[in-house]
Each structure stands twice: as C-alpha cells, then as structure tokens.
C-alpha cells in the first residue's frame, strides 16, 4: 500500500482486491497509534471501525460496493456522532455523547466510509493553533515544536502525517484553510449553505461551514459531493443543484481552468514577506497553463478582522448559552443554588478563549452598544461582500496567500490574542462573504509548507477544484510529506 495514498488510489486498491477494508483500517489504526504523540485524535473508534470495515468488505464480495465503500476517514470532534463522544475540544462536553449523527456524518457513513475517530480541535472551533483544545494541542508533523494551525488542526495534522487519508473540518473564519496550509495539505471551505450544519456544534451560525481536508483536489471533490446538498434539517442549506458535483464519484475530477482570468488582490500581497515569491511562482504556473492574471483591489480587507471578531463573538455568545450545566455535559459539584450551578458549570467548563469570546460577544450585543459594534460590523460585512462581488464581475477566481507565513512555534502567540487573530487576515474575508475557498500547498520555506488560497464566486467550487487539479498536475508540492513513523 502506498504510504500517502489518495482516496482515489485507495478506492482502486479496494476494488481490485489489493487489500481489504479491514486491512486498510488496521494499517491506519496502527499509524495513528504509532504517532499518538502528535495528539491529532481525541477519540479513536477502533472496534466500531473494524466492524464497519468488515461490512464494507462484504459489500465488495456481494458486488454492492459504492465508490467510497471501505475508505477510512476521521471527523473533526465538532460533528455529532451517535454512540461516540463529541467533545468540541472542551471540558464542558468531555463525556458528552450525541443522541444522533450530524448530516455530514450519516451521509458519509451511508456512502460506506469507515469512521476511525474524532480529531483534535480548538475548543468550540475558536482558535488558530489548536492550543485552545482542552485535550492539549495537536502538533505539526513537519516540526513538532510548531502548531498545526486551527481550529481543525487535528484533521490537518493527521492527514499530513498519513494517519488518515481524508478528514472533515469546519471553517468559520479559516479553520480548514489555515491548518491545511500549515500542514502542507489541501482543504476546502465550501460556499455557505453548500453543506448542512445539522449536528455540527454551532460557533457562529452565519459563518460556520463544513468542509474537507485531504491530499489532492479530487479527494476534496469526492468527499464534498457526498457531504453537500439540501437538508430539510438546516434551513440555511442550499438547494443549489450542481450536476457536476453530483457526478464526481462516477466521472472523477478533470483538471481545467486554463482559460480563466485570475485576480491577485493588492491588499493581500502588500505586507506579505514570507511566501510572496512562492505565490508569485504559483501565479506564474497558471499563466503558463493559459490563464490570464490581473491585479485587483478588495478595498475593505482591513475591516475583516474587527468585523469578524464582533460578529463571531456575538453569535458565539448566544450559541454557547445552551451549555448551562443542565442540558449538556459538565455540571459543577454541589451547586448551592441554580445561579451557582450555571455560573460554576460554565466557568469551570469553558476555557479562557471561549470565555473571552462570550464576554466580548455579549458586550457587543448589549443595549447601548449594539449599534456601535454589532450593527457596524454587519455593515462592514456587507461592504466586504460587495468588494468580492465587484471583483468577480471581472475575474473568475482570486488567488491569494492562505496565511501571513509558515506555522508558528507553540506558545508564541498565546499571550497575545490580537496577534493570534491576525493570523486569519487572509481567510476571514471569504468567510464573511460566504464564498467558497480552498488552500493547496504551493512550496516550502525552510522545510515548512506554505499554502495558496483560491477564492471563487458563490457555488464556484467546480472552478476552484478543477483549477487546483490543474495546478497539482503541473506541480508536486502536494506529494511532499513529513517524516513520521
Ligand atoms: N481562528 C478563527 C477564530 O478563532 C477562525 C476559527 C474557525 O474558522 N473556526 O475564530
């Protein structure tokens, strides 16, 4: 078995009988256990995975296997999984078991994939380094003294280290793209509404979107095609019909986009030191493939971080009010009154960053400050959306850095929340605009990966993925892997 196989390759191997799904699952379980110091998993689903793999093998024997039957995957620990804990990286949900599966989880299970475990994450998806996980940070397999990024850092690090071929993630302001970039793998945040949020613990509901982390564009497309689509249980899920995406499992992903016009936003390149040359080289690769490059401006980019942290905090403060020590999870010892129960359960159950968001969010929504903060942030959000819509009148896709630099050292930014927030400067704008965006590896600086971000118009995933496949056919950055045991 090839060490860092794509799921396309694994599916072929299973179909041809090169190995069984049980063998595949044992292989990945062994890798997960040999690399447990990377701390990429919160829960390993060993017994259930072997049962599911055996049933996948029977489907092959009976000739009823589908394209993803028997493929191992992992879910970020924010997706509800019936019978397996869903912690959201938090003490408050440490032992919580959801009574139902998230739509993403059951759609992928119905497609025959095998769930190996739940990956580590920043508490309630708030963070850019994984250091806000109650279960300790996952480590970057390229350099374990560095962070894997966040909040889907466990998923990205596990894929990068070859502990799992593909994993889900969620992205509210960059939590799929940034860790994918830091770990040298590919990750897509779909258009807001493309994937159902049902059963995905809510952080900032107007921004949260589920997506995929894997090695290549085709893997992302295959998993996305199963995850996405209208869900009556999420009223913000879209009924946008996309025959192309629906056909991916049968037809595969064809590299394309040679005739596209790609915009490079000035605001994203002006302060970029590390990685600027690599991104220019990536842009040059598209030009050689036949694309037209043009400089564009997204003038309200600077407003994105302040607007996001007001809006995401405000939404988080209401979403997280459900963790009250009564309905869900952790309850303090010996409460003396109802108020004491609420207060201590929440102050003992939540970590520092989550409390910071709840406090700032509550403040921004309070009478007297609502107009000054929340309303103003909404107006900025609209301006940012309009910047993108204007840009997409002239270009097909936008090419930008995913992060300001390579993965930073563990502990470097923990004392400076604002510096940590600045890490999301290039990923947050697309989130505020609800646009699809992905990150693919485009080079290395001193042995550490750098990501290129492509941002598309609403429901423009086909362009994003075909163009990424074109890039990956012409380069081999996605085939570099860290040395792990
Ligand atoms: N790092 C950002 C935050 O902390 C984004 C997180 C995310 O996308 N879930 O809010």
């Amino acid at each position: 078995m090839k060490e860092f196989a794509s799921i396309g390759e694994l599916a072929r191997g299973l179909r041809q009988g090169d190995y069984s799904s049980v063998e595949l699952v044992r292989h990945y379980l062994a890798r997960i256990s040999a690399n447990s110091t990377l701390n990429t998993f919160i829960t390993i689903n060993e017994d259930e995975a072997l049962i599911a793999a055996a049933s996948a093998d029977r489907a092959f024997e009976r000739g009823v296997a589908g394209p993803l039957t028997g493929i191992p995957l992992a879910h970020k620990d924010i997706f509800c999984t019936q019978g397996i804990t869903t912690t959201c990286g938090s003490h408050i949900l440490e032992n919580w078991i959801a009574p139902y599966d998230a739509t993403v989880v059951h759609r992928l299970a119905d497609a025959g994939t095998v769930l190996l475990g739940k990956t580590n994450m920043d508490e309630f998806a708030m963070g850019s380094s994984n250091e806000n996980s109650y279960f300790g940070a996952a480590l970057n397999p390229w350099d374990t003294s560095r962070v894997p990024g966040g909040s889907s850092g466990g998923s990205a690090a596990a894929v990068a280290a070859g502990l799992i071929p593909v994993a889900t993630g969620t992205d509210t302001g960059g939590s799929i793209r940034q860790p994918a970039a830091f770990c040298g793998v590919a990750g897509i945040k779909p258009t807001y509404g493309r994937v159902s949020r049902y059963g995905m613990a809510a952080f900032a509901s107007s921004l949260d979107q589920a997506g995929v982390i894997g090695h290549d564009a085709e893997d992302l497309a295959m998993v996305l095609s199963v995850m996405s689509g209208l869900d009556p249980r999420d009223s913000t899920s879209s009924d946008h019909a996309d025959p192309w995406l629906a056909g991916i499992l049968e037809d595969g992903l064809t590299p394309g986009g040679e005739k596209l016009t790609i915009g490079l936003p000035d605001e994203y390149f002006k302060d970029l030191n590390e990685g600027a040359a690599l991104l220019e080289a990536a842009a040059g690769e598209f030009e050689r493939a036949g694309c037209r490059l043009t400089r564009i401006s997204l003038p309200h980019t600077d407003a994105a971080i302040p607007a996001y942290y007001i809006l995401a905090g405000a939404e988080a403060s209401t979403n997280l009010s459900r963790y009250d020590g009564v309905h869900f999870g952790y309850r303090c010892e010996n409460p003396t009154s109802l108020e004491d129960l609420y207060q201590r359960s929440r102050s003992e159950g939540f970590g520092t960053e989550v409390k910071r968001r709840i406090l700032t969010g509550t403040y921004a929504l309070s009478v007297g400050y609502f107009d000054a903060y929340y309303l103003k942030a909404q107006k900025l959000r609209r301006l940012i959306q309009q910047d993108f819509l204007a840009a997409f009148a002239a270009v097909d896709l936008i090419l930008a850095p995913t992060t300001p630099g390579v993965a930073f050292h563990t502990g470097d930014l923990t004392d400076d929340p604002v510096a940590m927030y600045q890490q999301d400067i290039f990923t947050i704008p697309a989130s505020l605009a609800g646009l699809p965006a992905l990150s693919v590896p485009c080079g290395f600086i001193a042995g550490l990966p750098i990501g290129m971000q492509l941002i598309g118009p609403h429901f423009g995933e086909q362009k994003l993925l075909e163009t990424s496949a074109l890039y990956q056919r012409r380069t081999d950055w996605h085939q570099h892997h860290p040395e792990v045991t």
Side-chain angles (χ1 to χ4, degrees):
M1 190 181 315
K2 205 176 119 198
E3 220 182 339
F4 289 87
S6 69
I7 58 176
E9 288 166 327
L10 294 176
R12 259 190 305 282
L14 284 168
R15 254 194 324 274
Q16 291 163 5
D18 298 344
Y19 34 77
S20 67
S21 178
V22 168
E23 284 169 327
L24 205 55
V25 165
R26 283 195 200 285
H27 163 82
Y28 283 104
L29 287 171
R31 283 186 71 89
I32 293 170
S33 127
N35 290 282
S36 57
T37 51
L38 290 175
N39 201 23
T40 52
F41 280 80
I42 293 177
T43 304
I44 300 167
N45 187 34
E46 179 157 356
D47 297 344
E48 295 293 321
L50 287 166
I51 294 169
S55 119
D57 287 334
R58 281 195 301 280
F60 279 104
E61 279 159 25
R62 296 203 316 273
V64 294
L68 293 184
T69 299
I71 297 291
L73 60 66
H75 287 305
K76 183 178 182 178
D77 207 14
I78 197 169
F79 291 100
C80 288
T81 44
Q82 193 173 10
I84 308 166
T85 50
T86 297
T87 70
C88 292
S90 181
H91 182 36
I92 213 161
L93 289 181
E94 190 174 2
N95 299 308
W96 186 66
I97 298 183
Y100 61 91
D101 278 339
T103 297
V104 162
V105 170
H106 90 73
R107 284 192 179 166
L108 281 161
D110 288 353
T113 63
V114 178
L115 175 61
L116 263 54
K118 311 283 298 285
T119 56
N120 203 351
M121 56 181 283
D122 285 297
E123 186 176 6
F124 286 105
M126 298 173 194
S128 309
S129 69
N130 240 261
E131 291 162 290
N132 298 336
S133 169
Y134 174 71
F135 303 93
L139 307 180
N140 191 317
W142 291 94
D143 173 352
T144 52
S145 70
R146 291 173 191 266
V147 304
S151 63
S152 315
S155 289
V159 171
L163 313 188
I164 194 78
V166 73
T168 55
T170 61
D171 190 312
T172 303
S175 276
I176 288 176
R177 291 161 285 161
Q178 186 253 22
F182 277 6
C183 292
V185 291
I188 185 165
K189 178 201 95 76
T191 309
Y192 182 81
R194 171 76 87 172
V195 180
S196 167
R197 291 181 295 108
Y198 180 74
M200 190 177 113
F203 160 15
S205 309
S206 77
L207 295 153
D208 296 342
Q209 183 59 197
V212 195
I213 295 177
H215 288 291
D216 66 23
E218 185 168 63
D219 284 4
L220 303 186
M222 288 199 287
V223 176
L224 183 61
S225 76
V226 176
M227 286 164 70
S228 59
L230 180 68
D231 178 5
R233 292 189 158 114
D234 172 5
S235 61
T236 64
S237 73
S238 163
D239 62 355
H240 181 89
D242 196 332
W244 165 80
L245 191 56
I248 281 289
L249 289 179
E250 308 298 302
D251 306 337
L253 178 67
T254 314
E258 294 90 341
K259 296 274 175 299
L260 299 185
T261 301
I262 299 182
L264 281 70
D266 288 332
E267 292 78 5
Y268 286 60
F269 286 88
K270 71 176 190 317
D271 297 323
L272 191 70
N273 303 320
E274 278 185 321
L278 294 172
L279 281 148
E280 305 283 348
E285 200 56 57
F286 284 117
E287 199 163 32
R288 277 190 294 284
C291 300
R292 203 173 73 80
L293 300 182
T294 178
R295 306 299 299 203
I296 57 166
S297 175
L298 298 166
H300 297 94
T301 300
D302 276 353
I305 290 187
Y308 169 87
Y309 277 95
I310 297 287
L311 297 172
E315 293 184 31
S317 73
T318 64
N319 271 327
L320 271 60
S321 63
R322 72 193 64 178
Y323 307 105
D324 54 6
V326 177
H327 294 87
F328 292 93
Y330 177 79
R331 180 177 303 168
C332 68
E333 300 276 343
N334 308 318
T336 54
S337 65
L338 184 60
E339 191 168 336
D340 182 49
L341 183 151
Y342 288 151
Q343 208 171 55
R344 277 201 296 122
S345 299
R346 285 169 68 79
S347 35
E348 291 163 20
F350 289 134
T352 311
E353 183 59 27
V354 171
K355 286 182 200 163
R356 183 180 291 126
R357 308 279 178 116
I358 293 173
L359 290 171
T360 52
T362 305
Y363 184 79
L365 288 175
S366 57
V367 182
Y369 293 104
F370 183 88
D371 288 2
Y373 292 104
Y374 185 78
L375 206 62
K376 200 166 187 178
Q378 289 285 31
K379 289 178 179 166
L380 289 170
R381 181 176 189 177
R382 176 57 61 91
L383 291 172
I384 290 162
Q385 277 165 353
Q386 283 168 349
D387 281 357
F388 280 109
L389 295 182
F392 284 124
V395 302
D396 298 293
L397 291 181
I398 293 171
L399 186 157
T402 309
T403 61
V406 296
F408 47 90
H409 282 108
T410 304
D412 268 5
L413 303 182
T414 34
D415 294 336
D416 188 347
V418 174
M420 188 72 90
Y421 298 168
Q422 298 286 343
Q423 289 296 315
D424 301 316
I425 181 150
F426 300 137
T427 48
I428 281 177
S431 296
L432 288 170
L435 298 167
L438 56 71
S439 178
V440 290
C442 72
F444 289 83
I445 295 175
L448 296 166
I450 282 278
M452 159 175 67
Q453 184 179 202
L454 294 171
I455 305 170
H458 291 114
F459 297 102
E461 281 87 346
Q462 178 173 6
K463 277 184 207 164
L464 285 180
L465 289 159
E466 288 179 349
T467 314
S468 303
L470 177 72
Y471 181 73
Q472 293 190 324
R473 193 174 64 185
R474 299 174 65 93
T475 58
D476 68 354
W477 300 118
H478 60 296
Q479 282 157 353
H480 291 242
H481 304 292
E483 276 177 35
V484 287
T485 45

